[in-house]
Amino acid sequence: MRKSKIIILFIIALVSNKLNAQVMTIDLCEGITNHNFAIPFTSGSIYQWQVHGPLGIATIRSGNGTEHIKVDLNNPGVFKLIVYETDVNGCLGSDSILVEVHPHPKINFTFSGNCIENATQFIDHSTIVADSLVNYLWNFGDGQLGNGSSIFHHYQTTGFYNVDLSVTSSFGCTDSITKSIQILPKPIAEFSYNPLHATIINPVISFTNENAFLTPIIWDFNDSNFSVLDNPTHEFRYPGKFDVMLVV
């Protein structure tokens, strides 16, 4: 009878298992609720289930007193689940199984480069207390998917997108996070200058950034001189034609 109970318990509770010195262990993920454990029913028997392990690691949610219980797995760690059976003759028997509860990943990611026509880079910053992270699934919110801990994606239209990252551990425990990203239009650089023509007598020209919402990254005056000011002035020291470029 004891051997039969062990086999049934193993089958019903199984997610993954390992056999070590005849101690049966199953691996489950934290946060699972109403997980089923059961042994064969014997008419007239009374069943009492107990969780032996760290305080709060698991909670018997329902069914104690019967052959079938449901258990919430609250925290990572290892506990022993024991069932005691008292039959109609008052004889007592017991069975047990070890349950190792694995943690979920703590998910986080950052992104940069959120302008249309530019590659947006997504970088995973997820962690896990134990085990390792083995799979990363990105949903970019535009119908496209990707894999990898660091990945680039090109958005074709501007707007807001909900980006979802799901990360799975080596024991199959998965969690996810969703962040909103705004893809902006490509900036259009415009500037004016005065005077329109410089001379040897008056070689200084004032440049004005005409888009108040764009910050200049750099002005290139095409004479090996540069500026990072918003509205710079520049002195051209020799005659010629210069193609001035503003990068925003």
Side-chain angles (χ1 to χ4, degrees), residues 28 68 72 82 112 149 161-162 177 181 201 208 214 229 235:
L28 300 170
H68 178 199
D72 292 347
I82 303 176
S112 60
S149 60
Y161 297 89
N162 289 325
I177 189 174
I181 179 175
I201 299 175
T208 302
L214 299 179
L229 298 176
E235 179 180 350

Side-chain angles (χ1 to χ4, degrees), residues 21-81:
Q22 297 183 341
V23 176
M24 187 179 299
T25 304
I26 64 169
D27 297 281
L28 300 170
C29 297
E30 69 170 315
I32 294 177
T33 59
N34 292 319
H35 192 81
N36 293 290
F37 293 88
I39 60 173
F41 173 72
T42 300
S43 179
S45 289
I46 299 173
Y47 304 91
Q48 184 65 38
W49 298 77
Q50 294 181 4
V51 172
H52 288 202
L55 183 65
I57 189 173
T59 304
I60 299 175
R61 190 176 185 89
S62 64
N64 209 350
T66 72
E67 82 286 358
H68 178 199
I69 63 171
K70 294 186 177 182
V71 177
D72 292 347
L73 307 175
N74 304 319
N75 301 308
V78 178
F79 69 91
K80 179 182 284 188
L81 183 62

Side-chain angles (χ1 to χ4, degrees), residues 10 17-27 97-98 100:
F10 171 78
N17 73 89
K18 49 193 175 187
L19 194 61
N20 184 13
Q22 297 183 341
V23 176
M24 187 179 299
T25 304
I26 64 169
D27 297 281
I97 190 171
L98 287 177
E100 183 169 356

Side-chain angles (χ1 to χ4, degrees), residues 151-164:
I151 193 168
F152 290 90
H153 182 66
H154 285 83
Y155 286 94
Q156 303 302 315
T157 57
T158 59
F160 287 90
Y161 297 89
N162 289 325
V163 179
D164 179 83

Side-chain angles (χ1 to χ4, degrees), residues 13 15 33 41 52 75 88 138-139 164 169 189 230 234:
V15 170
T33 59
F41 173 72
H52 288 202
N75 301 308
V88 292
W138 300 86
N139 185 330
D164 179 83
S169 73
D230 193 30
H234 182 65

